[in-house]
Amino acid sequence: MKNCSNFTNDVVYSIIISLISISCVYGQVPVENDTIEDIEDFDIIDMESTLVEEKKDSISWVSDVFSAMRLGIQYGFTYKVEKPDKIMNNRLSFRLEYSKSFLDYLSLHIDTKMFTFLKNDHRIRDENDIVAFEGRTREAYLQTSFNRTSIKAGIQIVVWGESDYAIVTNEIGRLDYREPLSLNMDDLRIGQPMLTVDQYSSFGYWSAFFVPYPEFNEQPRKGTGYYYDPFDGKVEYLKEKQKGNFSEYGLRWRKTFGKSDISIMAASLIDNQYALRMVNPDLIAKSKQRFFMTGVTFNRAINNLLVKGEVAIKSEKAYNDTSFQIVKKNALDASIGIDYSPNSTFTLSMEAVNYHIMDWSDQIQGIPRNNYIALLALSKQLMKNNLSLSWASMYNGPYTNFFNVLSASYNWNDHITLNFDALIPIVDDARSGFYPYRDQKQVAFRVLYQL
């Protein structure tokens, strides 16, 4: 009886467990017939596929956005080593570069930077401030292209010249002189709102620009480390009220012939520097002055040698006479340079520049008839091109000064770059434009992290 009872209990338990298992399965997937089962299975598969596709599209969209974006975070520290020694730069900068095409014929380009000036940075004008912020947008424009025509509208930088350091035909863009010891033209250039049109044809490459409201060079501001007032704060400055059209416009034609190219250009421009005029001993007026430029540039490659040059005639440029009034003179500016690269890791560059004032007289104040520059630069790549060393030395006359820069750059990995600079100005002539910075011998260190 006991065995029978145990057998009965086992059977009951087995039946109960089986019923529970069946009810759980049927509760999860109700089945009425084979047709319904097949349809509902397909619905579930379609729903899962849709969710997977939506997830993929979402991931793809996010990936697409970030693939068009480049982020850079840089810390920079500069120390003035000549007495009185002090910290000049102590700052973070955040750079965003974005380039994205959409709608098959439009593209958006952005290059903007945000600066965070930390304590003791010379750009903090109030000593009680711990941190200060400033932004600068280099470029932000929309571009559309069709056939052989390209049109851009927005904040842009237009570079027409061939010289890496001098301004001969490259008069369109404005420059940032708040860090006046920099020789890197890419860092100095600032964009401004404009419209540009590029046309490619078998006869050559045409480029035109229009700037509705030209902007001016940025100068060191009062209270910062490079500020210099030639009048020692004894005068006030006033912008003159001027009527008329102050837009800028120009056209350039460029043609390539084998290993050579030539360009011819003409432009009506507003000087990037305000013209100054003394109203009375206590007041100086600043005004916009128009001038006209025609110029020619060329490049010629000969084996490992590149010869480049440019010349420009600038009419009605504004200067000051001995009574500090505005006089107009024509100018003839020219440069000639060579780049010699015997291999892919070494480059020697030499350049000579001359700024000449036509019909010059000794009544013109502070500017010589000929202002000339000679430049020598060497660069060498080492350690599989991860280490770059360069030296640049610039002589400027007739008010003699030398400016020397030693630089090193090391790619730590794909994301981190270390930079070191030593800046050595040598100036004895008080008439030189570099004289206010004669004691600015500096060492600089920067670390850049790019995503």
Side-chain angles (χ1 to χ4, degrees):
M1 289 292 296
K2 187 175 180 179
N3 291 335
C4 183
S5 175
N6 290 338
F7 175 78
T8 304
N9 290 336
D10 291 340
V11 171
V12 172
Y13 290 148
S14 298
I15 294 172
I16 292 173
I17 292 172
S18 299
L19 289 174
I20 292 173
S21 300
I22 293 171
S23 65
C24 289
V25 172
Y26 273 64
Q28 291 177 7
V29 184
V31 178
E32 295 182 4
N33 55 54
D34 293 341
T35 304
I36 294 176
E37 182 181 4
D38 291 341
I39 293 174
E40 291 185 351
D41 283 345
F42 278 118
D43 287 343
I44 292 170
I45 293 172
D46 289 343
M47 185 181 298
E48 290 176 348
S49 298
T50 301
L51 291 173
V52 169
E53 289 299 324
E54 288 179 353
K55 186 175 181 180
K56 286 183 178 179
D57 290 342
S58 177
I59 294 173
S60 176
W61 181 85
V62 172
S63 176
D64 196 35
V65 169
F66 278 95
S67 67
M69 184 184 301
R70 187 181 186 187
L71 297 174
I73 304 173
Q74 179 173 273
Y75 172 73
F77 181 86
T78 302
Y79 192 77
K80 178 177 173 291
V81 297
E82 188 169 344
K83 302 295 184 180
D85 58 316
K86 62 178 179 178
I87 295 173
M88 294 298 292
N89 291 4
N90 182 27
R91 63 186 62 168
L92 285 168
S93 63
F94 305 88
R95 184 177 184 180
L96 167 66
E97 297 173 89
Y98 184 84
S99 182
K100 176 66 177 174
S101 298
F102 54 95
L103 299 179
D104 295 331
Y105 57 88
L106 283 176
S107 59
L108 174 65
H109 303 264
I110 297 174
D111 184 354
T112 188
K113 185 180 285 189
M114 172 65 73
F115 294 91
T116 302
F117 303 113
L118 307 175
K119 191 168 181 60
N120 296 323
D121 191 290
H122 80 94
R123 297 273 281 273
I124 293 185
R125 285 179 279 179
D126 189 339
E127 294 182 356
N128 295 322
D129 290 343
I130 298 177
V131 66
F133 301 95
E134 188 175 303
R136 186 181 74 190
T137 297
R138 193 171 183 268
E139 291 184 311
Y141 62 85
L142 278 172
Q143 178 178 1
T144 181
S145 302
F146 50 91
N147 298 327
R148 295 186 175 184
T149 304
S150 174
I151 301 174
K152 302 175 186 176
I155 299 173
Q156 302 175 61
I157 293 174
V158 173
V159 179
W160 277 4
E162 298 296 338
S163 173
D164 294 327
Y165 302 95
I167 299 175
V168 178
T169 59
N170 188 31
E171 288 273 12
I172 302 168
R174 63 192 187 116
L175 300 175
D176 188 349
Y177 288 125
R178 288 174 294 180
E179 309 285 341
L181 297 185
S182 174
L183 284 182
N184 189 328
M185 293 301 294
D186 287 336
D187 288 342
L188 294 176
R189 292 188 178 110
I190 314 174
Q192 57 184 338
M194 66 175 71
L195 175 69
T196 60
V197 179
D198 298 322
Q199 177 68 47
Y200 301 86
S201 69
S202 58
F203 184 63
Y205 162 45
W206 299 85
S207 179
F209 75 91
F210 174 74
V211 182
Y213 304 105
E215 299 182 23
F216 297 87
N217 295 336
E218 291 279 2
Q219 303 294 338
R221 297 172 186 174
K222 188 174 182 179
T224 62
Y226 295 107
Y227 179 74
Y228 171 72
D229 184 357
F231 300 100
D232 295 325
K234 297 177 181 178
V235 301
E236 294 183 357
Y237 294 88
L238 175 69
K239 289 184 181 179
E240 285 194 277
K241 294 182 179 179
Q242 297 175 271
K243 296 181 179 180
N245 175 25
F246 293 102
S247 61
E248 295 181 324
Y249 42 89
L251 178 67
R252 181 185 70 166
W253 170 78
R254 188 182 185 101
K255 178 68 173 177
T256 300
F257 306 92
K259 294 183 179 180
S260 304
D261 66 69
I262 187 173
S263 62
I264 302 172
M265 61 198 70
S268 178
L269 304 167
I270 302 298
D271 200 317
N272 292 319
Q273 292 282 114
Y274 281 109
L276 303 180
R277 177 179 63 86
M278 182 170 287
V279 179
N280 59 57
D282 300 321
L283 182 64
I284 290 181
K286 302 193 298 184
S287 62
K288 303 175 184 178
Q289 295 293 324
R290 182 177 295 278
F291 71 96
F292 301 90
M293 181 191 74
T294 55
V296 177
T297 72
F298 72 90
N299 280 290
R300 171 64 177 170
I302 308 171
N303 297 324
N304 296 327
L305 192 69
L306 175 66
V307 182
K308 57 186 178 180
E310 50 188 313
V311 60
I313 297 176
K314 303 166 187 178
S315 60
E316 300 294 303
K317 287 276 287 184
Y319 302 95
N320 288 118
D321 61 15
T322 52
S323 61
F324 215 79
Q325 299 301 302
I326 294 174
V327 293
K328 298 290 188 72
K329 298 288 184 180
N330 297 335
L332 176 64
D333 300 341
S335 75
I336 183 75
I338 61 170
D339 293 335
Y340 175 63
S341 300
N343 54 58
S344 61
T345 64
F346 178 77
T347 301
L348 166 66
S349 299
M350 293 185 289
E351 188 173 343
V353 186
N354 188 62
Y355 301 104
H356 174 74
I357 301 176
M358 300 179 182
D359 194 25
W360 181 89
S361 71
D362 56 8
Q363 294 297 309
I364 296 179
Q365 185 181 40
I367 306 294
R369 183 194 303 270
N370 292 289
N371 188 357
Y372 44 87
I373 298 172
L375 181 107
L376 173 66
L378 304 170
S379 65
K380 176 65 177 176
Q381 305 286 333
L382 301 166
M383 299 174 63
K384 298 181 179 180
N385 295 336
N386 286 321
L387 176 63
S388 175
L389 301 176
S390 64
W391 170 269
S393 184
M394 183 178 67
Y395 166 78
N396 183 214
Y399 307 144
T400 300
N401 68 73
F402 289 90
F403 186 67
N404 306 280
V405 180
L406 173 64
S407 299
S409 177
Y410 178 65
N411 296 323
W412 184 275
N413 54 39
D414 292 339
H415 300 287
I416 298 175
T417 303
L418 306 177
N419 295 278
F420 171 82
D421 297 321
L423 295 80
I424 310 169
I426 302 173
V427 189
D428 293 324
D429 196 325
R431 296 172 296 176
S432 169
F434 262 102
Y435 190 74
Y437 315 117
R438 61 194 179 278
D439 64 343
Q440 289 287 349
K441 294 179 177 63
Q442 302 176 358
V443 292
F445 174 77
R446 300 183 306 279
V447 55
L448 172 64
Y449 180 79
Q450 290 181 309
L451 300 176

